[in-house]
Amino acid sequence: MLSIGALSRQTNVKIPTIRYYEEIGLMDLPGRTTGGQRRYVQSDVDRLGFIRHARDLGLSIAAISDLLRLSANGDNPCADADRIAKEHLTEVKEKIKHLRRLEKELKRIVSHCHAGTVGECYVIESLGNHGLCVEDH
Amino acid sequence: MLSIGALSRQTNVKIPTIRYYEEIGLMDLPGRTTGGQRRYVQSDVDRLGFIRHARDLGLSIAAISDLLRLSANGDNPCADADRIAKEHLTEVKEKIKHLRRLEKELKRIVSHCHAGTVGECYVIESLGNHGLCVEDH
DNA sequence: GCTTGTACCTCTAGTTACTTGAGGTTTTAT
DNA sequence: ATAAAACCTCAAGTAACTAGAGGTACAAGC
């Protein structure tokens, strides 16, 4: 029987976040002491660990919720789980593409800046003028 | 004198977003018709264009607010503007690094999944078990 | 000059995934 | 028995908007 603090330490999930997950129904309602404090069992640790890991990988709460439902049902969740993971992978790839374009653009802007020059600032000029951009973004 | 709709079309910023920018003080209070409708001038178009472009590049509202203040003051804003842009570039680089690790991890997880196999699902197993990961994330 | 349709107005609440704070109670250790 | 640490609830705040309800103003055509 773990207190919320102990669960927090074991899973690296902050206490208010655990309570939040309970509130939105991602975590089950835990048992309580007579005084009203939460007490957790091993399955709670496992579930929260799953959530934490999936969040670290960037999955949304909605996606995690789906995955948890799938894994509870047991009946060949693989196809659906695979689809969710693949969709997420696609999103991640898109984000990387986008960020790489931004990186390029920012590098270009910054490289043109010669701090010290009065009045003219390529950073500010570039930001104000999309036409100066090399690529779309 | 532009209506809010005309400004929106010229800058590609949605109407509620323009009103939101006004509310948080990022855009100046515009003139009004006797009937109370907003009317904008060229300097508003320029400022909103700047904001739009900087947002597209991923800068936060706070950073943009700083840049706008700098460019208004005129006294060699270059050094500060350059610092803001460089900081942002660093953030972007970090994000890319992180996403690339996630991409790798997700690819590995997905590639192990053979949809159809009953009961065992590598996607779900991997998410539940951080120990299966190759790298940090 | 009147009517109609589009564009505009304000205000409230919702989104995501939490975090922070106030004010009070329970547990644990001495 | 006491005191410190950990816990409790509830409300509000964060970023950057978006959506919807219910009502008013403007521009064009007749």
Side-chain angles (χ1 to χ4, degrees):
Chain A
M1 288 303 220
L2 299 166
S3 68
I4 197 167
L7 176 64
S8 171
R9 281 186 295 278
Q10 281 205 26
T11 56
N12 253 320
V13 176
K14 286 181 196 156
I15 292 173
T17 306
I18 297 172
R19 289 200 273 249
Y20 168 72
Y21 286 162
E22 180 186 322
E23 197 186 314
I24 62 170
L26 199 60
M27 288 293 287
D28 291 334
L29 293 175
R32 298 274 185 154
T33 62
T34 47
Q37 297 197 356
R38 290 168 179 83
R39 287 298 177 264
Y40 295 94
V41 292
Q42 185 56 39
S43 63
D44 294 315
V45 179
D46 295 344
R47 189 180 177 96
L48 189 53
F50 180 96
I51 295 168
R52 171 75 214 255
H53 192 189
R55 285 295 296 139
D56 280 351
L57 286 170
L59 287 153
S60 69
I61 296 275
I64 294 170
S65 184
D66 287 348
L67 287 172
L68 283 167
R69 228 174 308 112
L70 288 173
S71 68
N73 284 2
D75 278 0
N76 189 23
C78 203
D80 285 320
D82 190 49
R83 185 182 44 72
I84 291 171
K86 275 187 176 137
E87 274 170 19
H88 185 58
L89 180 55
T90 303
E91 275 169 37
V92 168
K93 281 180 180 168
E94 282 302 309
K95 269 189 203 162
I96 290 173
K97 252 190 222 163
H98 183 69
L99 284 174
R100 292 179 73 87
R101 280 198 297 270
L102 296 187
E103 187 191 12
K104 214 169 156 183
E105 192 59 33
L106 279 168
K107 268 185 186 161
R108 202 179 52 75
I109 290 173
V110 166
S111 73
H112 277 69
C113 188
H114 308 292
T117 314
V118 183
E120 296 244 308
C121 180
Y122 193 74
V123 172
I124 284 173
E125 204 186 322
S126 299
L127 288 172
N129 187 353
H130 186 76
L132 294 174
C133 293
V134 175
E135 287 190 73
D136 272 8
H137 50 88
Chain B
M1 288 301 220
L2 298 167
S3 69
I4 197 168
L7 177 63
S8 170
R9 281 186 295 277
Q10 281 206 25
T11 57
N12 253 320
V13 176
K14 288 182 195 155
I15 292 172
T17 305
I18 297 172
R19 289 199 274 249
Y20 168 72
Y21 287 161
E22 180 185 322
E23 197 186 314
I24 62 171
L26 199 60
M27 287 293 287
D28 292 334
L29 293 175
R32 298 273 186 155
T33 61
T34 47
Q37 298 197 356
R38 291 167 177 83
R39 286 298 177 264
Y40 296 93
V41 292
Q42 185 58 39
S43 62
D44 293 316
V45 180
D46 295 343
R47 189 181 177 95
L48 189 54
F50 180 98
I51 295 167
R52 172 71 214 256
H53 192 190
R55 285 293 299 137
D56 279 352
L57 287 170
L59 286 152
S60 69
I61 297 275
I64 294 171
S65 184
D66 287 348
L67 286 173
L68 284 167
R69 227 174 308 111
L70 289 174
S71 68
N73 284 2
D75 278 359
N76 188 23
C78 203
D80 285 320
D82 190 49
R83 185 182 45 71
I84 291 171
K86 275 187 176 138
E87 274 170 19
H88 184 59
L89 179 56
T90 304
E91 275 170 36
V92 168
K93 281 181 178 166
E94 282 303 308
K95 269 190 201 161
I96 290 173
K97 252 190 221 162
H98 183 70
L99 284 174
R100 292 180 72 87
R101 279 199 296 270
L102 296 187
E103 186 191 14
K104 214 169 157 184
E105 190 61 33
L106 279 168
K107 268 185 185 161
R108 202 180 50 76
I109 290 173
V110 166
S111 72
H112 277 72
C113 189
H114 308 293
T117 315
V118 184
E120 298 243 307
C121 179
Y122 192 76
V123 172
I124 284 172
E125 203 184 323
S126 300
L127 288 172
N129 187 353
H130 185 75
L132 293 174
C133 293
V134 175
E135 288 188 74
D136 273 8
H137 50 88

